Amino acid sequence: VLSLVHHRAIRDWGYITKAVFDRSLAALVLFMLSPLMFAIAAAIKFESDGPVIFRQRRHGINGKAITVWKFRSMHVMDDGAKVVQATAQDSRVTRVGRILRRSSLDELPQLYNILKGEMSFVGPRPHAIAHDELYEQIIDFYTCRSQVKPGLTGWAQVNGFRGETSDPALMDARVRCDHWYIANWSCWLDLKILFMTPVHCIFNKNAY
């Protein structure tokens, strides 16, 4: 692992190519999915009180704090020193939120994060800052994930490492996938992950 985390395949023109691809695709997808996003927003507002968008501070590239957007799927808005992960049959999740989380539609507002240049379509998934502070204490080279922009999807997610990570071994496996991605990035790998995402992540049994 040590040799992997010291080597980054994304550099020089790779950063430019990835940034142009991300922002161009984000603008196109936002335009195409805007009717769906408005419908989701209306459903959230109709079902329960509270904002449509949930904002949470997470770490971006080089550990810089960014505010990540999601459709609100819970009755709570945790973003402090303690953030409790969602579990199966979690009573905090709304009825609409359960559908959004199972289908990953709650992640759609992160297209704005990509358009702003804070995230990428493909990269290590960002976690709540409180979780980062925990895992960097128990998982070797955890912070090396921040060598690249966090992603809407990633190599770990299409390999089954998605959802709750109460067992540190699950997070360790996810981080190893992130390290491999950072060391082996290519445009073709990003396209492969994007094409794999609907099959492996939409309605994933670990998504709740």
Side-chain angles (χ1 to χ4, degrees), residues 17-35 37 107-122 149-152 191 194:
T17 301
K18 190 171 174 66
V20 171
F21 173 81
D22 282 334
R23 290 185 171 182
S24 300
L25 184 59
L28 176 62
V29 176
L30 275 170
F31 174 76
M32 294 176 62
L33 296 185
S34 56
M37 295 178 70
E107 311 284 0
L108 286 179
Q110 287 165 42
L111 291 167
Y112 289 103
N113 290 108
I114 296 174
L115 201 59
K116 291 169 62 180
E118 297 173 333
M119 290 180 60
S120 175
F121 268 96
V122 181
K149 291 179 183 178
L152 187 63
L191 289 173
L194 285 174

Side-chain angles (χ1 to χ4, degrees), residues 60-200:
I61 189 170
N62 296 324
K64 179 182 178 180
I66 61 174
T67 300
V68 172
W69 290 23
K70 298 181 69 172
F71 279 123
R72 180 174 60 83
S73 60
M74 291 186 171
H75 295 289
V76 298
M77 305 283 286
D78 291 347
D79 185 24
K82 183 178 181 181
V83 177
V84 180
Q85 288 186 330
T87 59
Q89 306 304 317
D90 197 317
S91 61
R92 298 173 300 164
V93 180
T94 65
R95 288 175 297 175
V96 171
R98 197 166 300 282
I99 296 172
L100 296 178
R101 297 174 75 91
R102 288 300 303 270
S103 61
S104 295
L105 291 174
D106 62 320
E107 311 284 0
L108 286 179
Q110 287 165 42
L111 291 167
Y112 289 103
N113 290 108
I114 296 174
L115 201 59
K116 291 169 62 180
E118 297 173 333
M119 290 180 60
S120 175
F121 268 96
V122 181
R125 282 292 298 154
H127 305 131
I129 288 179
H131 295 161
D132 281 343
E133 292 173 349
L134 168 64
Y135 288 122
E136 68 185 16
Q137 300 298 321
I138 60 177
I139 297 177
D140 291 339
F141 311 114
Y142 178 84
T143 56
C144 292
R145 303 168 74 250
S146 66
Q147 291 181 6
V148 299
K149 291 179 183 178
L152 187 63
T153 184
W155 185 241
Q157 284 64 47
V158 298
N159 279 280
F161 298 108
R162 181 169 181 250
E164 186 183 3
T165 52
S166 54
D167 182 354
L170 292 175
M171 181 58 78
D172 183 64
R174 181 184 295 187
V175 170
R176 288 176 180 273
C177 284
D178 293 335
H179 290 163
W180 185 90
Y181 169 79
I182 292 170
N184 293 277
W185 173 84
S186 70
C187 291
W188 294 114
L189 179 59
D190 273 5
L191 289 173
K192 176 180 179 180
I193 292 171
L194 285 174
F195 280 114
M196 291 173 67
T197 293
V199 176
H200 291 269

